[in-house]
Amino acid sequence: MHDRAQQLLQTRIPFVRATVVRAQQPTSAHPGDEAILLSDGTIEGFIGGECAQSSVRKAALGALQANQSVLLRVLPDGDVHFPDAPGACVVVNPCLSGGALEIFLVPQVPAPLVRICGDTPIAEALAQVCAVLGYEVTRSAGEPAGATAVVIASHGGPEAEMIRAALDADVGYIGLVASRVRGAAVLEGLHLTAAERARVHTPVGLPIGARTAAEIAVSIAAELIAAIRVDAAAPHPAEVGAAEDHHRCH
């Protein structure tokens, strides 16, 4: 599992590491069993039979979306005398034929990747602020695929082309450092759809009265944080519809 986890981390693929910490017979899993769960529901490793896997898969996807660790207790229907674990998320799975499991789910989500285009003082200051936030920063106007956000702070050059490339690469947040008038002129020639226009922020940054390059960088970073933590935090309908399991967290 260690080598596979390192491979996923290096390629910036999010996953959940699942470890069985307690098991009550009869179960096919044992304490110490491990698995890696990918965002598409794939399970690599072993943390129990198919009934347990269905509950673990749903909980893992939730943990991955929230980026929070979860201690999952998978119980069969009926009264199960399994010592309580404060803070655990309890799932009653009627599919289980007996036994109970506690599985610790730890999401491994790569840090946001921010591509900053330009060699201006604002670009330099933004790179420093993003580094303090723990974001991964790349200073290149090249291929934006895989980037969480692209901020164009070049004050000229092929800005429209860079915006178009970021849109085509499905980057969720695109910021253009420009005045309201110049930003509108750059976007006008792109013929953006409403959905595309919503992903392009210009003037970029929250309106905090920023004047210096460092202050502007802070305003951009604040808007980035909102886009990453708030806008992206809304659950997708497919992830909300939990299955037939009954669960509670306490």
Side-chain angles (χ1 to χ4, degrees), residues 12-123:
R12 297 184 53 80
I13 298 175
F15 66 95
V16 173
R17 191 157 193 166
T19 304
V20 177
V21 293
R22 293 200 296 177
Q24 181 187 67
Q25 296 300 321
T27 60
S28 54
H30 301 86
D33 285 345
E34 291 183 310
I36 284 174
L37 295 94
L38 303 179
S39 58
D40 63 357
T42 299
I43 297 178
E44 301 177 8
F46 184 77
I47 35 79
E50 288 192 18
C51 288
Q53 288 180 13
S54 66
S55 295
V56 174
R57 181 180 288 109
K58 292 164 193 169
L61 292 177
L64 193 60
Q65 181 186 13
N67 195 16
Q68 293 182 345
S69 298
V70 174
L71 178 61
L72 178 69
R73 303 183 71 213
V74 186
L75 310 179
D77 236 349
D79 183 27
V80 177
H81 300 288
F82 202 42
D84 194 20
C89 184
V90 179
V91 175
V92 177
N93 189 332
C95 177
L96 291 179
S97 58
L101 292 169
E102 275 191 354
I103 301 172
F104 192 44
L105 305 174
V106 181
Q108 302 288 319
V109 180
L113 174 60
V114 182
R115 184 176 296 278
I116 302 174
C117 308
D119 296 317
T120 60
I122 293 174

Side-chain angles (χ1 to χ4, degrees), residues 166-187:
L167 287 168
D168 292 343
D170 202 27
V171 176
Y173 177 97
I174 304 162
L176 172 63
V177 178
S179 67
R180 191 175 302 277
V181 173
R182 194 173 73 80
V186 171
L187 298 185

Side-chain angles (χ1 to χ4, degrees), residues 206-224:
L206 296 184
I208 60 174
R211 292 181 179 273
T212 67
E215 291 173 345
I216 294 171
V218 169
S219 75
I220 296 171
E223 192 172 67
L224 263 174

